[in-house]
């Protein structure tokens, strides 16, 4: 039984892990947290399933002069998703798109280096990837993350979040191959209200959790081995 509010991100991750046991001990599975708040949740899942932990960063491509409006996004691994409707409506030229893309990719690389250091990113091709955040409201960032991840040709994309409103949960279930969303309250408000302790996750905490999980990433620099049918026993 799921009890909400969750106490904190750690407890939410442990609760999610109970619903993800079919992915435990599989050599082709990797858990990716969306920094910063998604990483503590993802860490608990990775520990429980005995799978590696990584990150997937997403940066919005803001329209020059109206940066709050997204014309696309870039994500870990040089993946890019463009919103053609916004681009065509505003008549944004290719040169502007490339300039903004280059700037945001540089910021993405800076943040990845900050979090991961000199550890290589995991190989995602033909992997089963579990994307994790501490909750979603509109689901915009998670949707971009899913689209960007598809460019790496994973074998399966699984979304795992503790809480989301029903309409967002339904949409993410269609965009991913599988979605595990523990609580779907009709009266949502915001992600923070579903936690007793929603203290902001620091950069230092993200770095620490990734460093603790680093030894488990070694096998992800090689090609995945076939996994047995059904959950591990």
């Amino acid at each position: 039984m799921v009890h909400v509010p969750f106490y904190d991100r750690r407890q939410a991750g442990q609760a999610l892990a109970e619903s993800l046991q079919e992915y435990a001990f599989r050599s082709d599975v990797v858990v990716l947290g969306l920094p910063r708040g998604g990483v503590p949740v993802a860490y608990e899942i990775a520990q429980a399933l005995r799978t590696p932990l990584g990150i997937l960063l997403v940066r919005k491509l803001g329209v020059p002069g109206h940066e709050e409006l997204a014309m696309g996004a870039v994500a870990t691994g040089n993946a890019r998703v463009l919103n053609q409707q916004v681009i065509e409506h505003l008549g944004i030229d290719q040169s502007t798109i490339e300039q903004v893309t280059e700037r945001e990719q540089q910021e993405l690389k800076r943040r990845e280096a900050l979090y991961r250091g000199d550890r290589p990113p995991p190989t995602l091709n033909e992997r089963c990837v579990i994307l994790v955040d501490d909750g979603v409201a509109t689901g915009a960032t998670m949707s971009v993350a899913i689209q960007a991840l598809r460019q790496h040709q994973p074998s399966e994309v699984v979304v795992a979040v503790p809480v989301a409103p029903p309409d967002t949960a339904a949409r993410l279930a269609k965009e991913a191959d599988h979605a595990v969303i523990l609580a779907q309250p009709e009266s949502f408000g915001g992600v923070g209200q579903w936690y007793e302790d929603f203290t902001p996750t620091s950069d230092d905490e993200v770095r620490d959790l990734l460093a603790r999980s680093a030894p488990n990433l070694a096998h992800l620099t090689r090609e995945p081995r076939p996994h047995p049918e059904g959950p591990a026993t």
Side-chain angles (χ1 to χ4, degrees), residues 7 17-18 37 47 50 91 117 126 136 140 142 148 167 184:
Y7 175 67
E18 292 181 6
Q47 290 293 104
R50 299 295 190 270
E126 293 302 316
V136 294
M142 183 62 78
D167 57 340
Q184 300 180 33

Side-chain angles (χ1 to χ4, degrees), residues 67-121:
E67 278 71 20
E68 74 285 351
L69 178 61
M71 60 178 175
V74 289
T76 297
N78 293 322
R80 183 172 74 173
V81 176
L82 296 177
N83 187 329
Q84 293 296 341
Q85 184 176 4
V86 169
I87 291 170
E88 293 172 8
H89 178 72
L90 297 178
I92 302 170
D93 61 81
Q94 191 63 34
S95 176
T96 298
I97 295 171
E98 296 305 329
Q99 289 175 11
V100 175
T101 296
E102 174 63 23
R103 184 177 68 242
E104 294 302 336
Q105 283 179 335
Q106 290 302 316
E107 177 60 17
L108 199 68
K109 291 175 182 177
R110 187 191 71 80
R111 293 195 179 198
E112 285 186 303
L114 173 68
Y115 292 143
R116 195 169 52 232
D118 58 1
R119 296 184 297 274

Side-chain angles (χ1 to χ4, degrees), residues 43 76 90 99 130 132 157 166 187 223-225:
Y43 176 81
T76 297
L90 297 178
Q99 289 175 11
I130 302 177
V132 182
V157 176
S187 179
E223 290 302 312
R225 298 187 302 272

Side-chain angles (χ1 to χ4, degrees), residues 1-190:
M1 181 177 180
V2 177
H3 296 278
V4 290
F6 301 98
Y7 175 67
D8 59 10
R9 293 178 180 85
R10 178 180 179 183
Q11 188 262 322
Q14 293 169 349
L16 272 171
E18 292 181 6
S19 297
L20 292 164
Q21 285 300 308
E22 66 186 281
Y23 299 99
F25 301 103
R26 279 176 43 176
S27 64
D28 67 322
V29 174
V30 60
V31 176
L32 298 183
L34 273 60
R36 292 190 290 262
V39 177
V41 183
Y43 176 81
E44 295 298 328
I45 294 172
Q47 290 293 104
L49 303 185
R50 299 295 190 270
T51 56
L53 172 68
I55 55 173
L56 194 152
L57 281 160
V58 176
R59 292 285 299 175
K60 178 175 67 175
L61 300 178
V63 174
H66 302 278
E67 278 71 20
E68 74 285 351
L69 178 61
M71 60 178 175
V74 289
T76 297
N78 293 322
R80 183 172 74 173
V81 176
L82 296 177
N83 187 329
Q84 293 296 341
Q85 184 176 4
V86 169
I87 291 170
E88 293 172 8
H89 178 72
L90 297 178
I92 302 170
D93 61 81
Q94 191 63 34
S95 176
T96 298
I97 295 171
E98 296 305 329
Q99 289 175 11
V100 175
T101 296
E102 174 63 23
R103 184 177 68 242
E104 294 302 336
Q105 283 179 335
Q106 290 302 316
E107 177 60 17
L108 199 68
K109 291 175 182 177
R110 187 191 71 80
R111 293 195 179 198
E112 285 186 303
L114 173 68
Y115 292 143
R116 195 169 52 232
D118 58 1
R119 296 184 297 274
T123 300
L124 303 178
N125 178 257
E126 293 302 316
R127 308 284 180 183
C128 172
V129 182
I130 302 177
L131 277 176
V132 182
D133 207 349
D134 55 9
V136 294
T138 66
T141 299
M142 183 62 78
S143 291
V144 169
I146 294 170
Q147 293 178 64
L149 182 57
R150 294 286 190 197
Q151 297 182 27
H152 294 276
Q153 298 182 320
S155 60
E156 184 178 5
V157 176
V158 180
V159 167
V161 294
V163 60
D167 57 340
T168 299
R171 191 181 76 250
L172 292 178
K174 293 179 180 178
E175 294 176 1
D177 298 306
H178 181 48
V180 176
I181 300 172
L182 299 181
Q184 300 180 33
E186 291 286 349
S187 179
F188 187 75

